[in-house]
Amino acid sequence: MNFRRSLLALSLSTLGLFAVSSPVKAFSFASPADLTGDGFFDDTDYNQKYAKGDQKTFTAKYVIESRAGNNNPEAGVWESGAFSSNYNLAGTDYSNSFIAGSGRGHTWTKNTFVDFLLQYTGTQLIYQIGSQKITLNVDAAKGPVTDLMIRTAAGLRTNAQQPNNPNQNTSFSKVVLSDLSLGGANTASLQSAFSRGEMTAQKNRDVDYLRVKGLNNQAFTLTGKAMLDWGDAMPQNSNLGFQIKIGSTPTAVPEPGTMAALALAGAAR
């Protein structure tokens, strides 16, 4: 929705794509540039280009997700989880399969913000939302953490999900992340919103991304507030929620000519 994109643009322009000092290296929040020519960055850009395509600039190593689930922490469907990425170490493929994770129940109250925290210590990822806390051990073999990709997604509950209750459909849904901070006074926001009138054969949800760069494998704590909102019936599972993808920018390999020039420069000393 246009008002949502305007909110993100206003938030980032107000911040001036801010850089915040850290003990190791400055980091920044930014909205990724469109790579597919449709005017905005969404899952198509991420899946086809960012994560595995010809413009690959990010490798996800861990994913934190909070979602609608079934909004019943006792029913066996998780609402929040922490997962380790099963990506190809050679960098030639990217798998959407995540392993060695754990999920927890959470009860959402519509249009109500809840605090969350993601802490990276170098050996553990600790995620807490409301009273739920999940800890995931870091695999040193996956290498350093340098970037975050924060994703919001708002979709609908459809007849296919509720074939016996056609009136239990969702007229709209919205997810908002506010007061995102990695320390200091600066904050950023991200949100996605979708209504039934926007649904087409090609589009069944609104997805948005925010990227954090320059973490340089340093310990960090990301804090913020999350809110889910919906119409008559809550969307289920991952049709409404957000993810924090923790990963890195692939290291560029110098061209042979560059390597030869460096060798000659070293020999000339």
Side-chain angles (χ1 to χ4, degrees):
M1 296 182 69
N2 290 336
F3 78 86
R4 181 262 311 139
R5 300 194 193 286
S6 298
L7 175 64
L8 175 58
L10 177 61
S11 174
L12 291 174
S13 63
T14 301
L15 296 173
L17 294 184
F18 61 82
V20 181
S21 296
S22 70
V24 180
K25 183 180 179 181
F27 59 80
S28 62
F29 286 84
S31 180
D34 169 37
L35 298 176
T36 56
D38 58 5
F40 50 86
F41 186 101
D42 58 12
D43 281 346
T44 301
D45 299 82
Y46 180 83
N47 292 325
Q48 293 185 5
K49 300 222 177 250
Y50 234 56
K52 66 177 181 180
D54 56 1
Q55 299 181 49
K56 180 181 173 80
T57 58
F58 180 78
T59 298
K61 300 176 180 182
Y62 312 94
V63 171
I64 302 297
E65 181 172 359
S66 282
R67 62 180 196 161
N70 64 357
N71 211 29
N72 184 346
E74 306 303 326
V77 177
W78 59 270
E79 281 75 39
S80 291
F83 307 93
S84 180
S85 172
N86 188 26
Y87 72 95
N88 186 318
L89 289 175
T92 57
D93 190 20
Y94 178 84
S95 172
N96 285 323
S97 173
F98 290 89
I99 60 174
S102 60
R104 298 287 186 274
H106 179 78
T107 300
W108 295 96
T109 301
K110 64 189 306 185
N111 198 30
T112 300
F113 280 95
V114 58
D115 293 330
F116 71 87
L117 174 150
L118 172 62
Q119 185 175 27
Y120 173 74
T121 67
T123 58
Q124 286 186 322
L125 280 166
I126 302 166
Y127 178 61
Q128 184 165 349
I129 182 164
S131 61
Q132 299 297 327
K133 183 176 181 180
I134 304 172
T135 300
L136 184 67
N137 290 330
V138 169
D139 182 358
K142 291 183 181 293
V145 167
T146 63
D147 296 49
L148 304 178
M149 290 291 289
I150 304 172
R151 173 186 180 269
T152 53
L156 304 180
R157 187 171 183 169
T158 66
N159 283 334
Q161 294 173 322
Q162 290 289 306
N164 298 320
N165 297 286
N167 294 324
Q168 292 298 306
N169 295 330
T170 310
S171 56
F172 78 93
S173 69
K174 180 167 69 173
V175 51
V176 180
L177 301 181
S178 71
D179 302 307
L180 295 171
S181 175
L182 281 156
N186 296 301
T187 61
S189 299
L190 183 67
Q191 76 171 44
S192 296
F194 195 65
S195 66
R196 184 157 298 279
E198 297 175 275
M199 180 174 285
T200 67
Q202 294 75 36
K203 185 176 178 64
N204 61 7
R205 65 177 59 192
D206 182 34
V207 175
D208 297 274
Y209 281 85
L210 190 63
R211 185 169 184 174
V212 178
K213 301 176 70 173
L215 295 175
N216 202 31
N217 209 41
Q218 62 188 324
F220 67 83
T221 299
L222 173 70
T223 58
K225 300 178 183 296
M227 182 271 284
L228 303 187
D229 196 14
W230 58 91
D232 296 334
M234 186 182 194
Q236 293 198 318
N237 300 324
S238 296
N239 285 305
L240 179 62
F242 65 94
Q243 295 177 326
I244 305 170
K245 303 174 188 283
I246 301 105
S248 64
T249 300
T251 302
V253 178
E255 295 293 332
T258 303
M259 293 294 291
L262 290 174
L264 287 173
R269 289 185 178 180

